[in-house]
Amino acid sequence: MTASHPAPAHVLSRVAPSFLAADVGGTHVRVARAQASGDEAHPVQLLEYRKYRNADYAGLSAILSDFLGDSTRPSQCVVATAGFAREDGTVITANLPWPLSARQVEADVGLQHVHIVNDFEAVAYAAAQVDASGVLHLCGPDTAPRGPTLVVGPGTGLGAALWIPTPNGPVVLATEAGQPTLAASTELEMAIVRHMQRDRAHVSIEHALSGPGLMNLYHAICALQGQTPVLASPDAVTAAAMAGSDALARQALDVFCGLLGSTIGDMALFYGAQGGVYLAGGILPQIREYLHASTFVERYLQKGPMGEALARIPVKVVEHGQLGVIGAASWFLLHANA
């Protein structure tokens, strides 16, 4: 993806003013100083880029202040984050370790305006620019007619957005697709859901299809097998499953992949994603070969007569680590001065 390669600031500084773009996830914050590139196919150019661990900082203000240091403050900043932005600039979210307020960040950091955008709405703007070198093809044709394109990603939660082309430019529909009820198909999945329902009345999609969701699956499988969990993180479960060193971890990751395929098939039908499906970010790049060999594709197509329609939709894993930042910057360039 061309837009990911930083360019010397002096090369672009005469073209357009720079601004800050941040992708705020549940575990990491990615920050860049960005600028319009003048290239319609790849409209964003990153001048600087850094990744931060949320747990190391008291909030977004501290992270942005560290990133900027003593340099001149840009006037504008766009923040992509999971959750729902209220009119007062605060964000309703279950996945951040600290409160997030656009107005507070403006005051703390010395910025004129902080814009808040849904994280997967932002990613959808970037994913539309990804070329073939940036993805792993899971199923379907190599290309599809220009049409609604779904971007989904299991990370700290599960995000999804729909990119819709129109004669007047793209429109992106932000969703809360991680919050509907998880649909189980196999006896094991049903047993897992019943186990999860002991602690909550509503078992959401992201309660299984996310980093924490993988841990929920692992703990449920351990409980159903009468075993004590020995792995303490999604990364540990993933590593043990791929190494074949823990049968329960492998079963958990198998269930994860099957549920993901089934859920992505549902979403593609719900949203009419004829332009393709991109699976973005989170743990998926780490498990891409495992996912490819799993029941993901079988379960994705397992929709009765609609399996034939789903087979015509490309499904790809996006491997680009800066999509959230580039997407936030793309959103800003399209909307800030609209």
Side-chain angles (χ1 to χ4, degrees), residues 182-197:
L182 179 68
S185 298
T186 69
E187 289 295 330
L188 176 57
E189 290 169 3
M190 292 176 192
I192 289 170
V193 170
R194 284 194 295 270
H195 177 80
M196 291 177 173
Q197 285 174 330

mmCIF file with all atom_site columns, all heavy atoms in Angstrom, residues 182-197:
data_model
loop_
_atom_site.group_PDB
_atom_site.id
_atom_site.type_symbol
_atom_site.label_atom_id
_atom_site.label_alt_id
_atom_site.label_comp_id
_atom_site.label_asym_id
_atom_site.label_entity_id
_atom_site.label_seq_id
_atom_site.pdbx_PDB_ins_code
_atom_site.Cartn_x
_atom_site.Cartn_y
_atom_site.Cartn_z
_atom_site.occupancy
_atom_site.B_iso_or_equiv
_atom_site.pdbx_formal_charge
_atom_site.auth_seq_id
_atom_site.auth_comp_id
_atom_site.auth_asym_id
_atom_site.auth_atom_id
_atom_site.pdbx_PDB_model_num
ATOM 1   N N   . LEU A 1 182 ? -24.507 -13.982 19.364 1.00 0.00 ? 182 LEU A N   1
ATOM 2   C CA  . LEU A 1 182 ? -23.701 -14.995 18.687 1.00 0.00 ? 182 LEU A CA  1
ATOM 3   C C   . LEU A 1 182 ? -24.577 -16.171 18.270 1.00 0.00 ? 182 LEU A C   1
ATOM 4   O O   . LEU A 1 182 ? -25.358 -16.689 19.071 1.00 0.00 ? 182 LEU A O   1
ATOM 5   C CB  . LEU A 1 182 ? -22.597 -15.484 19.630 1.00 0.00 ? 182 LEU A CB  1
ATOM 6   C CG  . LEU A 1 182 ? -21.660 -16.569 19.097 1.00 0.00 ? 182 LEU A CG  1
ATOM 7   C CD1 . LEU A 1 182 ? -20.778 -16.012 17.984 1.00 0.00 ? 182 LEU A CD1 1
ATOM 8   C CD2 . LEU A 1 182 ? -20.801 -17.121 20.230 1.00 0.00 ? 182 LEU A CD2 1
ATOM 9   N N   . ALA A 1 183 ? -24.448 -16.593 17.021 1.00 0.00 ? 183 ALA A N   1
ATOM 10  C CA  . ALA A 1 183 ? -25.220 -17.729 16.513 1.00 0.00 ? 183 ALA A CA  1
ATOM 11  C C   . ALA A 1 183 ? -24.338 -18.969 16.469 1.00 0.00 ? 183 ALA A C   1
ATOM 12  O O   . ALA A 1 183 ? -23.333 -19.000 15.757 1.00 0.00 ? 183 ALA A O   1
ATOM 13  C CB  . ALA A 1 183 ? -25.750 -17.420 15.114 1.00 0.00 ? 183 ALA A CB  1
ATOM 14  N N   . ALA A 1 184 ? -24.693 -19.986 17.239 1.00 0.00 ? 184 ALA A N   1
ATOM 15  C CA  . ALA A 1 184 ? -23.940 -21.250 17.274 1.00 0.00 ? 184 ALA A CA  1
ATOM 16  C C   . ALA A 1 184 ? -24.558 -22.245 16.296 1.00 0.00 ? 184 ALA A C   1
ATOM 17  O O   . ALA A 1 184 ? -25.770 -22.275 16.108 1.00 0.00 ? 184 ALA A O   1
ATOM 18  C CB  . ALA A 1 184 ? -23.961 -21.823 18.683 1.00 0.00 ? 184 ALA A CB  1
ATOM 19  N N   . SER A 1 185 ? -23.709 -23.074 15.674 1.00 0.00 ? 185 SER A N   1
ATOM 20  C CA  . SER A 1 185 ? -24.186 -24.043 14.684 1.00 0.00 ? 185 SER A CA  1
ATOM 21  C C   . SER A 1 185 ? -23.906 -25.488 15.058 1.00 0.00 ? 185 SER A C   1
ATOM 22  O O   . SER A 1 185 ? -24.667 -26.379 14.694 1.00 0.00 ? 185 SER A O   1
ATOM 23  C CB  . SER A 1 185 ? -23.554 -23.750 13.319 1.00 0.00 ? 185 SER A CB  1
ATOM 24  O OG  . SER A 1 185 ? -23.914 -22.475 12.845 1.00 0.00 ? 185 SER A OG  1
ATOM 25  N N   . THR A 1 186 ? -22.793 -25.754 15.756 1.00 0.00 ? 186 THR A N   1
ATOM 26  C CA  . THR A 1 186 ? -22.433 -27.134 16.091 1.00 0.00 ? 186 THR A CA  1
ATOM 27  C C   . THR A 1 186 ? -22.787 -27.439 17.538 1.00 0.00 ? 186 THR A C   1
ATOM 28  O O   . THR A 1 186 ? -23.048 -26.534 18.341 1.00 0.00 ? 186 THR A O   1
ATOM 29  C CB  . THR A 1 186 ? -20.923 -27.357 15.890 1.00 0.00 ? 186 THR A CB  1
ATOM 30  O OG1 . THR A 1 186 ? -20.203 -26.620 16.900 1.00 0.00 ? 186 THR A OG1 1
ATOM 31  C CG2 . THR A 1 186 ? -20.474 -26.892 14.513 1.00 0.00 ? 186 THR A CG2 1
ATOM 32  N N   . GLU A 1 187 ? -22.773 -28.732 17.893 1.00 0.00 ? 187 GLU A N   1
ATOM 33  C CA  . GLU A 1 187 ? -23.073 -29.127 19.271 1.00 0.00 ? 187 GLU A CA  1
ATOM 34  C C   . GLU A 1 187 ? -22.076 -28.502 20.245 1.00 0.00 ? 187 GLU A C   1
ATOM 35  O O   . GLU A 1 187 ? -22.449 -28.040 21.322 1.00 0.00 ? 187 GLU A O   1
ATOM 36  C CB  . GLU A 1 187 ? -23.047 -30.663 19.400 1.00 0.00 ? 187 GLU A CB  1
ATOM 37  C CG  . GLU A 1 187 ? -24.208 -31.359 18.720 1.00 0.00 ? 187 GLU A CG  1
ATOM 38  C CD  . GLU A 1 187 ? -25.554 -31.020 19.354 1.00 0.00 ? 187 GLU A CD  1
ATOM 39  O OE1 . GLU A 1 187 ? -25.590 -30.743 20.573 1.00 0.00 ? 187 GLU A OE1 1
ATOM 40  O OE2 . GLU A 1 187 ? -26.565 -31.029 18.630 1.00 0.00 ? 187 GLU A OE2 1
ATOM 41  N N   . LEU A 1 188 ? -20.796 -28.476 19.871 1.00 0.00 ? 188 LEU A N   1
ATOM 42  C CA  . LEU A 1 188 ? -19.789 -27.887 20.744 1.00 0.00 ? 188 LEU A CA  1
ATOM 43  C C   . LEU A 1 188 ? -20.034 -26.393 20.917 1.00 0.00 ? 188 LEU A C   1
ATOM 44  O O   . LEU A 1 188 ? -19.952 -25.865 22.041 1.00 0.00 ? 188 LEU A O   1
ATOM 45  C CB  . LEU A 1 188 ? -18.385 -28.131 20.181 1.00 0.00 ? 188 LEU A CB  1
ATOM 46  C CG  . LEU A 1 188 ? -17.236 -27.480 20.963 1.00 0.00 ? 188 LEU A CG  1
ATOM 47  C CD1 . LEU A 1 188 ? -17.222 -27.934 22.424 1.00 0.00 ? 188 LEU A CD1 1
ATOM 48  C CD2 . LEU A 1 188 ? -15.888 -27.776 20.287 1.00 0.00 ? 188 LEU A CD2 1
ATOM 49  N N   . GLU A 1 189 ? -20.318 -25.689 19.824 1.00 0.00 ? 189 GLU A N   1
ATOM 50  C CA  . GLU A 1 189 ? -20.590 -24.251 19.929 1.00 0.00 ? 189 GLU A CA  1
ATOM 51  C C   . GLU A 1 189 ? -21.798 -23.977 20.805 1.00 0.00 ? 189 GLU A C   1
ATOM 52  O O   . GLU A 1 189 ? -21.794 -23.039 21.621 1.00 0.00 ? 189 GLU A O   1
ATOM 53  C CB  . GLU A 1 189 ? -20.799 -23.658 18.529 1.00 0.00 ? 189 GLU A CB  1
ATOM 54  C CG  . GLU A 1 189 ? -19.535 -23.611 17.691 1.00 0.00 ? 189 GLU A CG  1
ATOM 55  C CD  . GLU A 1 189 ? -19.785 -23.278 16.243 1.00 0.00 ? 189 GLU A CD  1
ATOM 56  O OE1 . GLU A 1 189 ? -20.963 -23.009 15.873 1.00 0.00 ? 189 GLU A OE1 1
ATOM 57  O OE2 . GLU A 1 189 ? -18.820 -23.283 15.452 1.00 0.00 ? 189 GLU A OE2 1
ATOM 58  N N   . MET A 1 190 ? -22.825 -24.804 20.687 1.00 0.00 ? 190 MET A N   1
ATOM 59  C CA  . MET A 1 190 ? -24.015 -24.623 21.524 1.00 0.00 ? 190 MET A CA  1
ATOM 60  C C   . MET A 1 190 ? -23.695 -24.840 22.997 1.00 0.00 ? 190 MET A C   1
ATOM 61  O O   . MET A 1 190 ? -24.165 -24.113 23.877 1.00 0.00 ? 190 MET A O   1
ATOM 62  C CB  . MET A 1 190 ? -25.128 -25.562 21.061 1.00 0.00 ? 190 MET A CB  1
ATOM 63  C CG  . MET A 1 190 ? -25.692 -25.222 19.685 1.00 0.00 ? 190 MET A CG  1
ATOM 64  S SD  . MET A 1 190 ? -26.925 -26.421 19.121 1.00 0.00 ? 190 MET A SD  1
ATOM 65  C CE  . MET A 1 190 ? -27.100 -25.945 17.402 1.00 0.00 ? 190 MET A CE  1
ATOM 66  N N   . ALA A 1 191 ? -22.860 -25.842 23.266 1.00 0.00 ? 191 ALA A N   1
ATOM 67  C CA  . ALA A 1 191 ? -22.446 -26.103 24.651 1.00 0.00 ? 191 ALA A CA  1
ATOM 68  C C   . ALA A 1 191 ? -21.626 -24.935 25.188 1.00 0.00 ? 191 ALA A C   1
ATOM 69  O O   . ALA A 1 191 ? -21.771 -24.546 26.364 1.00 0.00 ? 191 ALA A O   1
ATOM 70  C CB  . ALA A 1 191 ? -21.644 -27.400 24.724 1.00 0.00 ? 191 ALA A CB  1
ATOM 71  N N   . ILE A 1 192 ? -20.774 -24.368 24.359 1.00 0.00 ? 192 ILE A N   1
ATOM 72  C CA  . ILE A 1 192 ? -19.965 -23.216 24.770 1.00 0.00 ? 192 ILE A CA  1
ATOM 73  C C   . ILE A 1 192 ? -20.860 -22.025 25.089 1.00 0.00 ? 192 ILE A C   1
ATOM 74  O O   . ILE A 1 192 ? -20.681 -21.341 26.105 1.00 0.00 ? 192 ILE A O   1
ATOM 75  C CB  . ILE A 1 192 ? -18.942 -22.859 23.672 1.00 0.00 ? 192 ILE A CB  1
ATOM 76  C CG1 . ILE A 1 192 ? -17.850 -23.927 23.594 1.00 0.00 ? 192 ILE A CG1 1
ATOM 77  C CG2 . ILE A 1 192 ? -18.324 -21.480 23.916 1.00 0.00 ? 192 ILE A CG2 1
ATOM 78  C CD1 . ILE A 1 192 ? -16.930 -23.783 22.392 1.00 0.00 ? 192 ILE A CD1 1
ATOM 79  N N   . VAL A 1 193 ? -21.835 -21.764 24.222 1.00 0.00 ? 193 VAL A N   1
ATOM 80  C CA  . VAL A 1 193 ? -22.752 -20.638 24.464 1.00 0.00 ? 193 VAL A CA  1
ATOM 81  C C   . VAL A 1 193 ? -23.534 -20.854 25.753 1.00 0.00 ? 193 VAL A C   1
ATOM 82  O O   . VAL A 1 193 ? -23.700 -19.930 26.558 1.00 0.00 ? 193 VAL A O   1
ATOM 83  C CB  . VAL A 1 193 ? -23.700 -20.437 23.266 1.00 0.00 ? 193 VAL A CB  1
ATOM 84  C CG1 . VAL A 1 193 ? -24.805 -19.445 23.622 1.00 0.00 ? 193 VAL A CG1 1
ATOM 85  C CG2 . VAL A 1 193 ? -22.918 -19.941 22.052 1.00 0.00 ? 193 VAL A CG2 1
ATOM 86  N N   . ARG A 1 194 ? -24.003 -22.071 25.980 1.00 0.00 ? 194 ARG A N   1
ATOM 87  C CA  . ARG A 1 194 ? -24.731 -22.349 27.232 1.00 0.00 ? 194 ARG A CA  1
ATOM 88  C C   . ARG A 1 194 ? -23.845 -22.091 28.438 1.00 0.00 ? 194 ARG A C   1
ATOM 89  O O   . ARG A 1 194 ? -24.293 -21.539 29.458 1.00 0.00 ? 194 ARG A O   1
ATOM 90  C CB  . ARG A 1 194 ? -25.247 -23.786 27.235 1.00 0.00 ? 194 ARG A CB  1
ATOM 91  C CG  . ARG A 1 194 ? -26.465 -24.017 26.348 1.00 0.00 ? 194 ARG A CG  1
ATOM 92  C CD  . ARG A 1 194 ? -27.128 -25.361 26.648 1.00 0.00 ? 194 ARG A CD  1
ATOM 93  N NE  . ARG A 1 194 ? -26.260 -26.479 26.310 1.00 0.00 ? 194 ARG A NE  1
ATOM 94  C CZ  . ARG A 1 194 ? -26.242 -27.062 25.108 1.00 0.00 ? 194 ARG A CZ  1
ATOM 95  N NH1 . ARG A 1 194 ? -27.032 -26.634 24.134 1.00 0.00 ? 194 ARG A NH1 1
ATOM 96  N NH2 . ARG A 1 194 ? -25.435 -28.088 24.872 1.00 0.00 ? 194 ARG A NH2 1
ATOM 97  N N   . HIS A 1 195 ? -22.572 -22.470 28.331 1.00 0.00 ? 195 HIS A N   1
ATOM 98  C CA  . HIS A 1 195 ? -21.640 -22.220 29.433 1.00 0.00 ? 195 HIS A CA  1
ATOM 99  C C   . HIS A 1 195 ? -21.458 -20.713 29.646 1.00 0.00 ? 195 HIS A C   1
ATOM 100 O O   . HIS A 1 195 ? -21.466 -20.230 30.792 1.00 0.00 ? 195 HIS A O   1
ATOM 101 C CB  . HIS A 1 195 ? -20.292 -22.873 29.139 1.00 0.00 ? 195 HIS A CB  1
ATOM 102 C CG  . HIS A 1 195 ? -19.259 -22.600 30.189 1.00 0.00 ? 195 HIS A CG  1
ATOM 103 N ND1 . HIS A 1 195 ? -19.204 -23.299 31.379 1.00 0.00 ? 195 HIS A ND1 1
ATOM 104 C CD2 . HIS A 1 195 ? -18.252 -21.683 30.243 1.00 0.00 ? 195 HIS A CD2 1
ATOM 105 C CE1 . HIS A 1 195 ? -18.212 -22.828 32.116 1.00 0.00 ? 195 HIS A CE1 1
ATOM 106 N NE2 . HIS A 1 195 ? -17.619 -21.863 31.446 1.00 0.00 ? 195 HIS A NE2 1
ATOM 107 N N   . MET A 1 196 ? -21.311 -19.963 28.561 1.00 0.00 ? 196 MET A N   1
ATOM 108 C CA  . MET A 1 196 ? -21.133 -18.513 28.670 1.00 0.00 ? 196 MET A CA  1
ATOM 109 C C   . MET A 1 196 ? -22.367 -17.836 29.260 1.00 0.00 ? 196 MET A C   1
ATOM 110 O O   . MET A 1 196 ? -22.266 -16.815 29.951 1.00 0.00 ? 196 MET A O   1
ATOM 111 C CB  . MET A 1 196 ? -20.824 -17.923 27.294 1.00 0.00 ? 196 MET A CB  1
ATOM 112 C CG  . MET A 1 196 ? -19.455 -18.294 26.738 1.00 0.00 ? 196 MET A CG  1
ATOM 113 S SD  . MET A 1 196 ? -19.222 -17.613 25.062 1.00 0.00 ? 196 MET A SD  1
ATOM 114 C CE  . MET A 1 196 ? -17.491 -18.006 24.766 1.00 0.00 ? 196 MET A CE  1
ATOM 115 N N   . GLN A 1 197 ? -23.544 -18.405 28.994 1.00 0.00 ? 197 GLN A N   1
ATOM 116 C CA  . GLN A 1 197 ? -24.783 -17.811 29.493 1.00 0.00 ? 197 GLN A CA  1
ATOM 117 C C   . GLN A 1 197 ? -24.929 -17.928 31.007 1.00 0.00 ? 197 GLN A C   1
ATOM 118 O O   . GLN A 1 197 ? -25.805 -17.287 31.589 1.00 0.00 ? 197 GLN A O   1
ATOM 119 C CB  . GLN A 1 197 ? -25.986 -18.457 28.796 1.00 0.00 ? 197 GLN A CB  1
ATOM 120 C CG  . GLN A 1 197 ? -26.173 -17.994 27.363 1.00 0.00 ? 197 GLN A CG  1
ATOM 121 C CD  . GLN A 1 197 ? -27.273 -18.752 26.641 1.00 0.00 ? 197 GLN A CD  1
ATOM 122 O OE1 . GLN A 1 197 ? -27.543 -19.922 26.930 1.00 0.00 ? 197 GLN A OE1 1
ATOM 123 N NE2 . GLN A 1 197 ? -27.910 -18.089 25.685 1.00 0.00 ? 197 GLN A NE2 1
#
